Structures are given as C-alpha cells and as structure tokens.
Amino acid sequence: MTDIGMNIDHQGNLYLAQRDQIFNTSHYVDGFVQTDPIAPTKFAACAKERFVPRAGEWATARSRLEANRLLVLRGERGTGRQTAALWLLEQLCGIGRISALNPEWTRPRKQLLPNSVRSGEGYLLDMSEPTEEQAADDFAKELQQYAENKNIYLVVTTTAAAWSGAWTAGVDDVTLDLTSPSAQQLVANELREGGFVDPMSILVDHRFSEVFDSNPTAADACRLVEIIRRRPGADAGDIVAEYTDWRGLIDQEIPDGLGSRALWWSCAFCNGGSQTSILGMAEALRKQLGESRSALDVLTDLPTTRRLAAAELESRDRGVTFKSGRPGFAAAVRRHLWEEYNDQTGSLTEWIVGQVSALPTEDAKRVVDGVFDLVVNFQDDLLLRKLRDALVGQRRSLAVEAFTKGALDQRFGPHMRACLNAWAKSTSSSDVDLVTEICGGEFGEMMPERALVRLRHTAQRSIPGSAILARSLSRLAEVQPTKTLQAIAAWMKEPAAEISGVRAFLALASEKEGARLLSGQLAVQSESLVGTDVLVGYFRTALRYPDCEPVLNVVLERWADYAEEGALDWEATVQTFGVVLAPRLKDNILQRFFVPDRFDDKNFWAGVLAKATEPLWNHG
C-alpha cells in the first residue's frame, strides 16, 4: 500500500508523491486491535497440578477449537475464562506462540483485525465489554472465516450480555457456556502450589462448608486462597468472616441510632481522615436524610470522644479509624451500606459525592478512592458520572488520578476506557477537558494508541487554542513522539477527522518542543512525518478554518521567535512560511512597494516576505 505525500518544487508549487505507507490510517481514526504477546508467567495457572477442568461441554472444547479454529467461551466475569482459554491454546500451540488481541473499537469490524497474525499460532480475543455500536450482522461468522483464512487458533472470551444480537448468529456450534471449576479443588491446588503440604486438612473444617456450598466463582476461590496464605494458622471462622466481607460481623456490630451510624459510614469512606472531616460528613448525611439539626441540637449532643466511642471508632494522630483494625473492614462497610440499603443509594450518592468538593484535599482523596471502589465493585455508571460531575471543576486533579487508575486497571480498565471514549464525544467542555488531561498523563504514557484515539475526539471538540490540549499533546509527544505524529498525520488525511488534526497540530505547534518535533529538529523514527512539505500541508489546511486563524497567527509569531532565538532552523522556517503564505500574496501590486535587493536579511518576516514573493519578482 502507498501513502500520498506532498513535495514542493523550486518555485514553491505543491505536487503529490507516492510514499510507502508507514502506518494504518484507521489505527488512530476508527480504532484498532492490538497484538500483544502473552508472557509465560500468565500460564502458571494452566499447569497440570493447578488447572481444574470444567464440567459439561468443556470436554469437547479442545476438539471444537482444533476442528473449527474458533471457540467462543461465554461466561460471567470471575469464572476463570482467561485461564481456560490459555490452557486450550497452550495444548494446541505451546507457550511462546500465543498472543492477546486487545480491541480498541466502538464497533467490532473485521477490517480492524490485524493482518500480522502468524499461521499456526494461538490468539486470545476478549470481547467482555459491550461496544457503543453493534457489529454487522455477519461479524461472528467473519471472525471464524478470519481464523480459518489466517490458519490460527482464536479463542474469544465474552459474557452473555456482550455476546448478544443478530451479529452472533452462525457460530453456535463453537460457542461454549463456561462455569467456574470446583472451588474446593481449585483452593486445594492453589494452596498446595503455595507450599501447603496438606491443604485438605485445613479445608475439611466444617466452617468452610458454607463457602463451598455457595458455589463461589474462580475469582472468589482465589480470594479465599489469598486470605489463607496471608493468615497461616488463623482460625477458620476468622478466615471465613473476612472472605464473606465481614458481613456477619457488620450485621452484629453496626451501631444503633442515626448519629452513630452516620459517623460509622463516614469513617468507611474517609478511613484515617481528620476528626473534623468525619464529624462534618456525618452532620451532612443526617441533614441529607432529612433530620433537623439545630444549633441547640448540635451543642447538646454528646462530646466528640463519647460519640466516636459509641460508633466503635477511635481518633488518633493518624486520624479516625475503626477500632477493630480488621483488614479491608472499611471497604466492607461501604459495600454493606450499598447492598443492605440499596433503595436509598440515591440519597447516599448525593451525600457522598457532595463531600469530595467540600472536604480538604487529602480527605477528599480518601472519599474519592472509597466511592470509586464502589463504582468498580457494582459497575455503577450513575455513581461514576456523579463522581465525575462533582470533580470536574476545582477538584479535576482528583478525577484525573482516580480515572487514570481505573483506565489502567486490568479488571475495570476496558469499562473505564469505554466511559472515557463516550465522554470524549460529549458536548460538555468540562468532560472533554477531563478526558484530554487524562490522555496526556500516565494513561497516555502506558497506552498511547488508546489515548490518541480519544484525543482525536477531544481535539475535535476542544476550543481552538485549548491550553489543556496543548499540554496533553506536548506531554504525549515527549514520551511517544512518533506515535503522536502518526496520529496527527492520520487525522489530517481523513475528511471526518481533519479538524481534529488541525487543532492537534496547532496545539502541539504552540509549544517550543512541539514546534521542534514538527519541524524535524528532534530525531523521530520516520522522516516522512516531519519536514517542510509536511508542514506546508498542515499550515495550509489550518488556513481553511477561519475559527483557527487567531491560534494560527499565534503559532506563526511563536515560530518566528523560536527561529530568531535558534530553537528552530531559520532557513527552513522561512522556507516553510514563504511557501505557506505565497498564495495570499498573489496580487502583483505588491511589487511596486518592495525592492528585492533591499530586504533586511536579519529580519525574520522580511525573509518570509522575500520568499513568499519570489514568484512575483521572477515572473512579474
């Protein structure tokens, strides 16, 4: 395939030239599916002494995959789908010949599947997250054709909610509903792997029966393993209590009366926070729930120490905490509140998100972390949006920190990134600015392609000259210069994305290091992404957008300053600006006002004018 580039002849005229394509245009415009090798350590749970086969249709899984090249494992999160998929692929391909296909798409499309897959190897495609748009009706069959044509083994992991619709038809014979393995056997195998000589001697305790009788998922079984490993020799009752999220103890220990409970719940969200913050949160909750609290009521209440003691809390130098000191107890209380009083989550949400803007920064951060933990555990998008709305103003840095962590999280990341993608297309400037800032930070450093896909949408919706867009693109260009330039080039080439390319180009060009990168002063992997011909195309495209003209004028002035101070190459910058501005100086009446040999060659703009009017002197 080829790429259309622009060159300039000796008279400054533009002409088209063919170049080898160095990147896929759709990669930063329509999305992509990234191929990532799976590290050998990921296969540890597939070892013979650890892996627990499934019941039901599982016995036919390997033969189905081997015969059809595609297998769809459909099951809820936590059932061990990935381990099962890796076990199957290892049987057919061997470790070192298996990769993950990580999709970044708003609509599944065969065209986005990578061509670079290797014949005879295995690939794992996770489609657990529902997409914004439904795939075409024949997409599932196209997946099977793709696997057959490429001669690969492809396992798709998904959920019943995500794998639904007309597009899933035609592959029922290779779709397998997966359940979790025997929890007791899985726990025993994992403990044995961790050095427990006779794990069954521990697990036969009758107090574990209630755990195994509840048919826990593979994820929950692994959580039990971690508790047992962390607390060797602990009483089985204590282990089960922690595994069950302390629910039984919370039911027993929750204090009586709204005043004590308000303090208890406030500490659950702000564990370790200042006494002033905890007390203020509790008062706010009581008012939120409709309790009338006059000054007289407050002043005749019990002293703070006694109120905290009644709520089983203690205040020390490190802040207010639960007396019990149980691991994960604060998080368990939060989850208990949301589950036990789920018909009151509307009022509770209004209360808790109101605290993130009212409390001192350190305590507000504790609350944000607590709220986001609920978002992750309950997949609560309404709570997520409420938290975003409370933070996008003066506390945006807390939103950036929390949502960045969420976007990079192995479990919650796909859902958080889908939310960022939706917010990037919002009509709200605060949402757009939030996503832009997230993409320019750690998320952009760790996942640059995914960040750039979202920046394509935020650039389109950002105001011309957005300082947030400029900072984010500059930070991203510092750590990922080639990919940043590739994205801008891709956007410039697509009519639907051109305005994104223009605004991103001007934003990057407005910063000194961005100007140096775009003009070729910094080393990048591909010379065809920078240089005079590329810049001329970018500047001339920007000139077509009247709303960008003020920003463009600022960029021109800054580049002139950069050239005069030596940060940019003087001659190359003059050459670029001369060619860019020449079409605006076509009126030959200009000739009578200038004498060509009397220009001051030490003045940047005089040099640009001389270059821009060369055709007039030569052919006038």
Side-chain angles (χ1 to χ4, degrees), residues 255-496:
D256 295 328
L258 180 58
S260 293
R261 289 191 180 188
L263 286 168
W264 211 56
W265 290 326
S266 297
C267 185
F269 281 98
C270 194
N271 193 32
S274 72
Q275 181 174 287
T276 301
S277 293
I278 301 294
L279 293 172
M281 290 176 65
E283 286 295 326
L285 176 57
R286 296 171 76 168
K287 292 177 181 177
Q288 174 71 39
L289 297 177
E291 184 181 14
S292 177
R293 290 280 288 171
S294 67
L296 178 62
D297 294 325
V298 174
L299 290 173
T300 56
D301 212 336
L302 291 173
T304 299
T305 304
R306 292 172 61 185
R307 291 170 61 198
L308 293 177
E312 292 296 318
L313 305 176
E314 60 183 4
S315 181
R316 297 180 180 176
D317 292 341
R318 66 178 184 275
V320 177
T321 60
F322 290 94
K323 285 182 179 180
S324 68
R326 301 182 185 106
F329 191 72
V333 171
R334 294 193 298 266
R335 291 189 285 269
H336 180 274
L337 172 63
W338 235 248
E339 290 174 333
E340 188 71 18
Y341 304 98
N342 59 4
D343 58 337
Q344 298 297 318
T345 53
S347 294
L348 293 170
T349 295
E350 292 301 318
W351 161 62
I352 198 60
V353 298
Q355 303 310 301
V356 300
S357 56
L359 296 176
T361 303
E362 284 302 311
D363 287 341
K365 183 181 183 306
R366 290 184 172 90
V367 175
V368 169
D369 290 341
V371 173
F372 198 72
D373 177 66
L374 287 179
V375 169
V376 172
N377 276 278
F378 294 99
Q379 294 277 308
D380 192 334
D381 284 344
L382 175 61
L383 182 57
L384 177 62
R385 290 193 297 272
K386 292 282 188 179
L387 181 62
R388 175 202 64 190
D389 294 345
L391 293 172
V392 290
Q394 296 182 349
R395 292 286 170 86
R396 191 168 66 205
S397 62
L398 296 182
V400 170
E401 183 178 347
F403 300 158
T404 296
K405 183 179 178 181
L408 296 174
D409 183 79
Q410 185 173 4
R411 180 167 62 115
F412 190 68
H415 186 74
M416 186 71 245
R417 295 193 293 270
C419 291
L420 292 179
N421 203 51
W423 299 348
K425 302 172 186 177
S426 171
T427 56
S428 166
S429 60
S430 58
D431 289 353
V432 169
D433 288 346
L434 173 62
V435 177
T436 300
E437 189 167 345
I438 291 171
C439 290
E442 185 183 2
F443 173 52
E445 293 177 15
M446 301 295 292
M447 296 183 171
E449 292 92 348
R450 288 173 169 82
L452 285 162
V453 167
R454 286 153 185 79
L455 282 174
R456 174 265 218 248
H457 297 296
T458 66
Q460 181 176 339
R461 291 160 178 79
S462 295
I463 60 171
S466 166
I468 296 174
L469 181 61
R471 285 196 303 269
S472 292
L473 279 168
S474 296
R475 290 171 188 160
L476 196 52
E478 184 178 351
V479 294
Q480 296 287 350
T482 301
K483 289 177 180 178
T484 304
L485 292 177
Q486 285 178 346
I488 292 175
W491 301 336
M492 285 286 196
K493 290 167 62 177
E494 292 290 330

Side-chain angles (χ1 to χ4, degrees), residues 3-6 8 14 19 22-23 481-494 497-509 514-515 517-520 526-545 548 552 555-556 559 576-577 579-580:
D3 175 30
I4 302 296
M6 289 181 294
I8 305 170
L14 295 177
R19 282 204 194 96
I22 59 172
F23 58 94
T482 301
K483 289 177 180 178
T484 304
L485 292 177
Q486 285 178 346
I488 292 175
W491 301 336
M492 285 286 196
K493 290 167 62 177
E494 292 290 330
E498 186 179 81
I499 185 59
S500 298
V502 168
R503 288 180 177 163
F505 161 65
L506 293 176
L508 186 58
L517 175 64
L518 288 162
S519 63
S526 175
E527 293 181 359
S528 61
L529 293 172
V530 296
T532 301
D533 56 336
V534 175
L535 286 175
V536 167
Y538 288 176
F539 276 116
R540 285 192 172 174
T541 301
L543 284 168
R544 298 206 306 267
Y545 290 88
C548 292
L552 178 59
V555 169
L556 293 175
W559 280 44
T576 299
F577 285 8
V579 175
V580 167

Side-chain angles (χ1 to χ4, degrees), residues 36-262:
D36 295 314
I38 297 178
T41 54
K42 293 287 187 180
F43 293 86
C46 301
K48 182 179 179 181
E49 60 274 13
R50 295 178 66 180
F51 184 74
V52 182
R54 315 303 170 88
E57 296 179 297
W58 175 253
T60 65
R62 176 174 174 173
S63 60
R64 291 196 206 187
L65 177 58
E66 195 166 11
N68 298 284
R69 297 284 171 170
L70 172 70
L71 186 69
V72 179
L73 297 181
R74 185 170 56 192
E76 295 311 304
R77 290 179 173 86
T79 53
R81 297 166 305 160
Q82 184 182 79
T83 299
L86 293 179
W87 184 88
L88 285 169
L89 292 171
E90 182 188 352
Q91 303 304 303
L92 295 176
C93 307
I95 298 176
R97 291 167 53 81
I98 302 171
S99 301
L101 299 180
N102 294 312
E104 178 59 48
W105 53 26
T106 54
R107 181 190 187 195
R109 290 196 298 146
K110 181 182 178 182
Q111 292 85 344
L112 298 181
L113 295 170
N115 289 317
S116 57
V117 293
R118 294 178 292 274
S119 175
E121 297 200 354
Y123 293 86
L124 174 61
L125 172 63
D126 184 59
M127 294 184 64
S128 300
E129 193 66 32
T131 54
E132 292 180 37
E133 302 175 29
Q134 284 275 309
D137 287 351
D138 57 351
F139 179 72
K141 289 185 285 187
E142 287 184 332
L143 268 182
Q144 184 161 9
Q145 292 167 4
Y146 170 77
E148 291 171 348
N149 294 339
K150 295 294 184 180
N151 193 35
I152 62 173
Y153 296 104
L154 176 62
V155 179
V156 176
T157 54
T158 186
T159 65
W163 192 263
S164 63
W167 62 272
T168 64
V171 294
D172 291 345
D173 55 334
V174 293
T175 301
L176 188 156
D177 287 311
L178 200 70
T179 57
S180 292
S182 163
Q184 188 175 45
Q185 187 61 57
L186 178 58
V187 171
N189 288 1
E190 291 299 302
L191 289 176
R192 192 176 292 110
E193 176 66 20
F196 286 74
V197 178
D198 185 14
M200 289 307 297
S201 65
I202 301 172
L203 301 179
V204 292
D205 190 299
H206 70 278
R207 286 170 290 187
F208 285 112
S209 298
E210 65 176 285
V211 174
F212 298 128
D213 289 346
S214 67
N215 296 317
T217 65
D220 285 336
C222 290
R223 185 164 60 86
L224 177 60
V225 170
E226 290 305 312
I227 296 172
I228 296 173
R229 284 177 175 173
R230 178 163 41 80
R231 304 179 66 184
D235 180 76
D238 290 341
I239 292 173
V240 172
E242 183 176 347
Y243 168 80
T244 56
D245 223 11
W246 305 109
R247 187 172 184 87
L249 287 171
I250 292 173
D251 286 339
Q252 294 174 18
E253 296 181 4
I254 186 171
D256 295 328
L258 180 58
S260 293
R261 289 191 180 188

